[in-house]
Amino acid sequence: MNQNNNNNIPAEKNLVGDIGFCLASGKIMILGEKVDYMYREEPNSDTDSGWRFLSNTEDEEYLDNPENSQIYSVNAVAHNDMAIIPYLKSPVGSELVRVEGTDEFEALD
């Protein structure tokens, strides 16, 4: 993730502060798709932010495979899609969807 085992490579710049970790789809972190849906649930541990990030192209079969969602730092997800940053202080229970064609998200009711 963000750990640097090679002293010659600069550490990834921290864009979000000490928010902790999250679950993110491989479609975002491996394939480079943008976050389209993000929600925050009660954290599972002291280091869990509660954030869950999806590209919204995942089908049920994809999501049922635990290999397709991994734990990442929220900072790593922010590096893949900086549009999430303004929304990261949203409270537990928040559900946000990207406004099509923009870098803005709106709350779901």
Side-chain angles (χ1 to χ4, degrees):
M1 286 183 253
N2 287 335
Q3 295 185 0
N4 182 357
N5 294 327
N6 182 339
N7 290 334
N8 296 326
I9 299 172
E12 190 172 271
K13 182 179 178 183
N14 191 331
L15 300 174
V16 299
D18 188 22
I19 293 178
F21 294 89
C22 64
L23 284 176
S25 164
K27 291 199 173 196
I28 296 166
M29 299 306 293
I30 297 168
L31 299 179
E33 294 183 12
K34 296 292 185 187
V35 173
D36 193 61
Y37 176 67
M38 56 193 279
Y39 65 97
R40 194 172 197 180
E41 59 187 20
E42 285 292 335
N44 294 325
S45 70
D46 291 342
T47 58
D48 179 13
S49 68
W51 279 111
R52 311 298 180 242
F53 299 99
L54 300 168
S55 70
N56 226 9
T57 62
E58 301 87 352
D59 59 20
E60 190 172 333
E61 182 180 353
Y62 185 90
L63 292 173
D64 284 345
N65 182 344
E67 295 293 316
N68 291 331
S69 294
Q70 298 292 320
I71 297 171
Y72 296 93
S73 71
V74 175
N75 189 57
V77 179
H79 272 269
N80 282 5
D81 189 349
M82 293 176 62
I84 69 169
I85 295 172
Y87 305 94
L88 293 174
K89 292 187 180 180
S90 299
V92 168
S94 297
E95 286 186 80
L96 302 153
V97 65
R98 186 183 293 266
V99 176
E100 190 173 342
T102 74
D103 281 340
E104 295 180 11
F105 287 79
E106 61 185 7
L108 294 176
D109 293 328

